[in-house]
Amino acid sequence: MLESLQTFMTDYGWNVLALIGFSLLLLVVLLVIIAFLLLMDRKVWAAVQMRRGPNVVGPFGLLQSFADLLKFVLKEPIIPSGSDKAVFLLAPLATAMCALASWAVIPVNENGWGKWVISDMNVGILYLLAISSLGVYGIIMGGWASNSKYPFMGALRSAAQMVSYEVSIGFVIICVILCVGSLNVTDIVNAQKAGIGTRLGLMNSFLDWHWLPLFPMFVVFFISALAETNRPPFDLVEAESELVAGFMVEYSSTPYLLYMLGEYVAITTMCAMTTILFLGGWLPPVDIWPLNAIPGVFWFLIKVVSVFFMFAMVKAMVPRYRYDQLMRLGWKVFLPLSLVMVVITAAVLQFGGFLS
Amino acid sequence: MASALFFYVFAVLAVAAGATVILTRNPVHAVLFLILAFFNAAGLFVLLDAEFLAMLLVIVYVGAVAVLFLFVVMMLDVDFAELKAGFIKNAGVGALVGGIVLAEILALVGYRGLTAASSLNVAAPVPAAGSGITNTQALGEILYTKYVYFFQGAGLILLVAMIGAIVLTLKHRTAVKRQSIGAQVARGPKTGMEVLKVPSGGSIVPPAAKHPEAAE
């Protein structure tokens, strides 16, 4: 055993240690950022409604999320006696774990040191699609294991909703990877170094990013991302006027915290995916001196936070959909639209002379 | 060495999860263990360098098919006593079918004589090492270029099955009031409102309702 461990260390040793170190670094930074994104969500919501929002804990309420964390962790978890205890506790874990796992393939920068990504796999974008489609399990399992009416209704709604909108997300991703020619996430960002702007003879700028040639898909992706993460106006899963709190009714303390964490990590993942697919990832908006001297990771962060701001504004401004309208939008509007766009994109690429 | 370790982890977990699917009493637990088995199969694909197939397995089976399984199974009210009685009654047929499948697998393995040399002849999901193409591209070249007509044929068969299912189940009920989004959006002050002159001392008869829904 010791000998095999020794060969393992010589074969993989430092790589494995470095991988663990970088993963921990990414997770810690991600979780701290999400703590402040959560605060930002509440502050934006409050500002739209002309309230102050959380402003007591720390300066300007900056430490509110950490106070909430302590409160959730220190409270007593209540497990309903009629519940399926193993599945009941597994469900929030599955949600949080699936959400965090998707960050393994999200690149935040590329510079002289190499790619800033945990796993630069060939099929990164498929991995993201696969993991985001697993988010539904936490909700279904939690809703069923609670052994209660409202959670079960919420779980059934979420299963139908997330499966529906995954279809259009898949077609949007197909459009993008048709333009890129690779399933690698880093390649998708690097492909946006050339585009409409450079064809017009300009330097690399925001005109090259995919949002411009694929603008309808950008909108479809943004709206589908809202539905996929159960954000308002599509939060039918936890619509408080109909289902109390949906699948989370029976949850308390740390399991509830894990659900909330998983939800916000999934939202941040969707913001990062929007950034990577359509907004040029870590590329600066215009490739000139003062802008391209700033490290790419800051541009990435700024773009993710901007997309998150859009999510927060939508939550504050748009009224909730009715369930049949939600299904109509997914199947009768987005599915045909994205299917037609796949055909159009492929035709333009094939007959427009874009394929070398 | 590490890949051997992961192989045993995935293989043991896949077999154990597969066994638990048929041994567990709760059908929802059975589906959850089925999902675990799918995951381990995907892990085995990754070890074979067939990461595209692994991701497709997760997307299609775990992300879509198993969700529908779970959806259906959760809504069933299963009576376990009845289920067990059925088990004894159907055990003979089940054993027969299982035995035939087992014999077929054994015959296949015996015929192929799965040796290191013969396994090279079996179509692998992985392109030859050093060819410089990813397995996504290799699959594309086989499926969408070499066998494109078979692929289209399979697609047509699935389309026919889908249309058949829709034709069998689609019932357009006429008594239901439906929302027509287009009519709602198109409805403006001109169509939604009518200004009438009321003669002094007289009265007006309200015109018939002009809602687009009422026309159906």
Side-chain angles (χ1 to χ4, degrees):
Chain A
M1 183 65 209
L2 196 67
E3 197 175 327
S4 61
L5 190 68
Q6 215 160 20
T7 49
F8 183 79
M9 284 305 279
T10 47
D11 285 355
Y12 300 98
W14 298 116
N15 285 341
V16 168
L17 283 184
L19 200 62
I20 292 171
F22 283 130
S23 304
L24 282 178
L25 182 71
L26 180 80
L27 283 182
V28 168
V29 173
L30 178 70
L31 290 178
V32 170
I33 288 175
I34 280 169
F36 287 107
L37 280 180
L38 218 162
L39 179 74
M40 177 183 152
D41 194 24
R42 297 169 70 175
K43 281 282 193 187
V44 170
W45 201 10
V48 171
Q49 298 175 345
M50 295 213 241
R51 292 184 287 114
R52 282 176 184 278
N55 63 348
V56 176
V57 189
F60 311 110
L62 279 176
L63 301 177
Q64 180 67 43
S65 298
F66 299 96
D68 287 345
L69 169 77
L70 275 182
K71 187 177 164 184
F72 280 131
V73 171
L74 295 178
K75 283 211 167 188
E76 181 196 358
I78 298 168
I79 302 174
S81 58
S83 69
D84 186 325
K85 288 181 188 58
V87 179
F88 185 80
L89 291 177
L90 202 62
L93 260 180
T95 303
M97 209 186 66
C98 285
L100 287 171
S102 56
W103 278 82
V105 296
I106 291 183
V108 294
N109 195 5
E110 186 181 22
N111 59 9
W113 300 348
K115 296 169 178 172
W116 292 24
V117 56
I118 301 295
S119 165
D120 185 38
M121 65 166 83
N122 282 333
V123 288
I125 198 75
L126 281 183
Y127 176 85
L128 278 175
L129 191 63
I131 294 290
S132 74
S133 71
L134 295 182
V136 67
Y137 278 109
I139 295 175
I140 300 189
M141 283 159 68
W144 176 79
S146 297
N147 198 10
S148 161
K149 284 191 212 74
Y150 294 125
F152 190 58
M153 292 298 291
L156 292 184
R157 280 184 172 192
S158 97
Q161 172 179 343
M162 292 175 84
V163 169
S164 307
Y165 279 85
E166 238 155 61
V167 181
S168 52
I169 284 192
F171 280 124
V172 173
I173 289 177
I174 287 176
C175 274
V176 174
I177 59 184
L178 275 176
C179 295
V180 176
S182 168
L183 294 172
N184 184 306
V185 187
T186 319
D187 286 351
I188 291 175
V189 175
N190 282 330
Q192 300 180 49
K193 281 181 178 168
I196 289 181
T198 46
R199 275 178 180 270
L200 293 174
L202 304 170
M203 69 177 73
N204 176 25
S205 67
F206 61 92
L207 293 175
D208 295 335
W209 302 343
H210 285 144
W211 68 270
L212 192 55
L214 297 173
F215 189 73
M217 293 287 91
F218 179 45
V219 177
V220 169
F221 186 82
F222 182 76
I223 297 173
S224 300
L226 290 174
E228 182 76 5
T229 52
N230 298 321
R231 281 285 286 189
F234 305 114
D235 60 339
L236 276 301
V237 175
E238 44 196 285
E240 65 275 352
S241 54
E242 302 156 22
L243 295 180
V244 192
F247 64 97
M248 291 198 272
V249 170
E250 305 289 350
Y251 280 91
S252 55
S253 101
T254 317
Y256 178 81
L257 167 78
L258 286 175
Y259 262 133
M260 284 301 282
L261 177 75
E263 197 170 298
Y264 272 85
V265 175
I267 291 164
T268 320
T269 312
M270 278 298 170
C271 295
M273 270 174 85
T274 314
T275 306
I276 286 167
L277 293 175
F278 294 103
L279 299 177
W282 56 83
L283 302 176
V286 183
D287 198 5
I288 52 173
W289 172 68
L291 296 180
N292 62 18
I294 299 172
V297 62
F298 286 105
W299 288 121
F300 185 79
L301 192 60
I302 287 169
K303 287 171 187 174
V304 168
V305 172
S306 309
V307 178
F308 187 85
F309 177 73
M310 298 279 292
F311 270 64
M313 287 300 280
V314 169
K315 175 180 180 175
M317 295 190 309
V318 184
R320 183 177 287 140
Y321 261 55
R322 211 173 56 205
Y323 198 72
D324 62 318
Q325 293 171 335
L326 173 87
M327 282 296 154
R328 177 187 165 275
L329 185 70
W331 289 106
K332 291 189 177 172
V333 180
F334 282 178
L335 179 62
L337 181 66
S338 51
L339 202 54
V340 166
M341 277 303 289
V342 169
V343 176
I344 291 176
T345 312
V348 167
L349 287 173
Q350 175 71 34
F351 300 114
F354 291 96
L355 298 178
S356 52
Chain B
M1 194 225 99
S3 59
L5 181 74
F6 280 118
F7 170 78
Y8 285 115
V9 170
F10 287 138
V12 167
L13 275 176
V15 173
T20 321
V21 171
I22 51 173
L23 290 179
T24 184
R25 283 154 181 261
N26 190 328
V28 173
H29 290 178
V31 176
L32 292 177
F33 277 109
L34 186 66
I35 294 163
L36 183 63
F38 283 147
F39 259 115
N40 287 296
L44 289 175
F45 272 131
V46 171
L47 288 183
L48 281 173
D49 285 335
E51 64 260 13
F52 184 75
L53 281 182
M55 291 306 146
L56 278 199
L57 188 71
V58 175
I59 292 174
V60 174
Y61 283 94
V62 183
V65 174
V67 172
L68 294 181
F69 274 13
L70 207 55
F71 204 94
V72 172
V73 163
M74 281 193 321
M75 308 239 266
L76 295 177
D77 187 19
V78 183
D79 185 353
F80 290 107
E82 198 180 325
L83 207 66
K84 268 185 192 160
F87 176 76
I88 301 296
K89 201 174 68 184
N90 296 327
V93 183
L96 185 66
V97 173
I100 292 172
V101 172
L102 183 66
E104 280 176 349
I105 291 176
L106 286 179
L108 191 70
V109 171
Y111 168 70
R112 284 272 189 192
L114 286 179
T115 59
S118 72
S119 66
L120 288 178
N121 297 328
V122 181
V126 191
S131 59
I133 55 173
T134 60
N135 65 68
T136 313
Q137 198 180 348
L139 264 179
E141 274 168 9
I142 291 177
L143 199 58
Y144 300 119
T145 311
K146 194 172 171 191
Y147 294 121
V148 63
Y149 294 116
F150 295 96
F151 180 77
Q152 299 273 2
L156 279 178
I157 291 170
L158 285 176
L159 183 69
V160 169
M162 194 175 84
I163 293 174
I166 292 173
V167 166
L168 284 178
T169 53
L170 184 68
K171 241 188 332 185
H172 203 80
R173 284 177 295 176
T174 45
V176 186
K177 277 197 173 183
R178 287 197 171 75
Q179 185 183 18
S180 165
I181 305 268
Q184 278 185 354
V185 173
R187 189 169 182 265
K190 277 193 182 142
T191 52
M193 187 170 74
E194 195 170 349
V195 182
L196 296 174
K197 269 261 190 267
V198 185
S200 63
S203 67
I204 51 165
V205 182
K210 280 187 178 174
H211 286 290
E213 292 95 332
E216 287 184 20

